[in-house]
Amino acid sequence: MQKISESTVKRLSLYLRILEEFEAKNHETLSSEDLASRTGATSAQVRKDLSLFGSFGKRGLGYPISELSKKIRQIMGLEHPSRVILVGAGKLGAALVGYHGFAEHGFNIVAAYDKDRKRIGQSLGSLKVTAEDKLEADLRRDPVDIAIITTPSGVAQEVADRLARCGVRAVLNFTNTKLMVPGEIVVKDVNMAVELESLSFAIQNQYREAI
Amino acid sequence: MQKISESTVKRLSLYLRILEEFEAKNHETLSSEDLASRTGATSAQVRKDLSLFGSFGKRGLGYPISELSKKIRQIMGLEHPSRVILVGAGKLGAALVGYHGFAEHGFNIVAAYDKDRKRIGQSLGSLKVTAEDKLEADLRRDPVDIAIITTPSGVAQEVADRLARCGVRAVLNFTNTKLMVPGEIVVKDVNMAVELESLSFAIQNQYREAI
DNA sequence: GGATGTGAATGTCTTCACAGCT
DNA sequence: AGCTGTGAAGACATTCACATCC
């Protein structure tokens, strides 16, 4: 199969969101243009993206919603819910545990670890914060594919190393550290400061262009 | 000036993070390779990115840290702290208010709005949640450039419209709604479900390739 | 010697535009 | 008639490789 670009993958995820919305409303089909206008893509892009995986549409009609959404979930490995752990139960970590957006999309946070004595044992929603030194034993018993790192940046690499040794295959990294991991492990960085700074640049730049 | 790509802007932000780190350690210079290895870029890319704004390095030596970091802050409009408001004081909103990463980078959340009676008046760190209908009056008195939307998706567009009318110039959108805004307003979408789903795809795909 | 700055080459992604199906 | 699927063209981004300077 051909290599799929990161941007295509992100868009698939957006298409899926729309498909699910219209599936709930019992609509039958959506055109590439419908999907495009609701996700910020172009219709050609939607068609290209989808055609990378096969030919799902009906000419003159559009794409059958429930069939396509099922197919996308299949492509993206979303047919079954995944178990996710979180390391670092500070403010951000706590919020992510409490945030229902993850569970809605089938990502269940099943444990939250922290080093800090004061946090261990505290309740986070339906979870209790676990001592971080239990990590290895827990993962040996119940492996997970995905971990979220919300520790301070200084310890992120060490945490990543431990996760890698325990067979974690994907990491969502909220710290500022560029993680070095074995090639088979996938890391995605989420850096909200970067996003805000991009906004700042865009504003600044508008101003500059106006001069 | 030439058009600057989104990816360049994001990288500038990452370079800045490294520069600040080494500035704190009183280092004098960093090479493009130093910046590259710490941000996941290549040295050629670092040089290209920086050369878009001028010629800051010394051949044979590298880039003078404090001069370059100052310059990048200038380019990105980060010379002075910005005031930011947040609309939607649910779990995620509360976490963002409590998260210190923003303030560290000069983005101060100065108010948090919510519609929900139960939340209005509640303390969020040093802030108290304000009734959402005060939004217009507040912004008229004290305009802000940047707003963060963490409301339920259903009301995001309406909130965006109101913000636009109050002169907000940039929006960080955590909802699933594709916001329609006037051209002069910049929107950045942060969608953590999309990030997790991308990870899911990457894992799934490794498996598929192995077959 | 060692690192920058930058045209040229390459690679990747997006858009166009239209043939082909329903 | 309407909308997909897709080569070809175009736009954009990255990498190469080397002349240039400290």
Side-chain angles (χ1 to χ4, degrees), chain B residues 79-116:
Chain B
E79 292 175 287
H80 308 290
S82 328
R83 288 154 29 85
V84 177
I85 61 164
L86 182 141
V87 186
K91 284 252 173 59
L92 184 58
L96 295 180
V97 171
Y99 177 57
H100 287 119
F102 290 138
E104 274 166 29
H105 294 103
F107 296 96
N108 297 314
I109 302 184
V110 296
Y113 297 90
D114 205 293
K115 257 189 195 166
D116 185 341

Side-chain angles (χ1 to χ4, degrees), chain A residues 5-188:
Chain A
S5 79
E6 181 65 23
S7 1
T8 293
V9 175
K10 282 192 177 174
R11 283 193 299 267
L12 284 182
S13 192
L14 298 177
Y15 304 155
L16 182 55
R17 209 100 316 131
I18 306 302
L19 289 165
E20 284 169 345
E21 182 187 326
F22 280 79
E23 201 170 15
K25 294 183 193 159
N26 290 315
H27 289 222
E28 296 282 314
T29 58
L30 279 175
S31 69
S32 57
E33 180 50 39
D34 293 334
L35 284 168
S37 68
R38 285 171 177 80
T39 56
T42 65
S43 63
Q45 202 159 44
V46 173
R47 295 197 298 277
K48 250 285 133 80
D49 285 340
L50 296 177
S51 76
L52 294 170
F53 301 95
S55 153
F56 312 118
K58 295 238 182 311
R59 298 176 190 224
L61 258 177
Y63 296 87
I65 292 181
S66 70
E67 197 183 313
L68 182 57
S69 76
K70 194 177 162 202
K71 185 72 196 179
I72 294 184
R73 274 191 291 266
Q74 207 177 86
I75 291 168
M76 311 221 5
L78 303 172
E79 292 175 287
H80 308 290
S82 329
R83 289 154 29 86
V84 176
I85 62 165
L86 182 142
V87 186
K91 284 252 172 58
L92 184 57
L96 295 181
V97 172
Y99 177 56
H100 288 120
F102 290 138
E104 274 166 31
H105 294 103
F107 296 95
N108 297 315
I109 302 184
V110 296
Y113 296 90
D114 204 294
K115 256 189 198 167
D116 186 341
R117 275 274 182 76
K118 278 166 283 176
R119 287 187 189 141
I120 296 169
Q122 280 195 350
S123 287
L124 244 52
S126 56
L127 250 54
K128 279 215 193 317
V129 177
T130 310
E132 202 176 292
D133 48 28
K134 301 273 194 295
L135 192 60
E136 282 79 3
D138 283 6
L139 289 182
R140 209 169 317 275
R141 204 180 329 109
D142 285 315
V144 306
D145 282 338
I146 303 180
I148 301 178
I149 303 186
T150 44
T151 61
S153 295
V155 298
Q157 180 62 57
E158 177 212 315
V159 168
D161 293 343
R162 291 171 62 190
L163 293 169
R165 279 196 297 273
C166 296
V168 165
R169 301 173 62 200
V171 171
L172 193 61
N173 174 33
F174 281 85
T175 77
N176 286 330
T177 303
K178 178 82 205 158
L179 300 176
M180 311 298 273
V181 294
E184 70 276 15
I185 296 185
V186 195
V187 178
K188 281 216 84 167

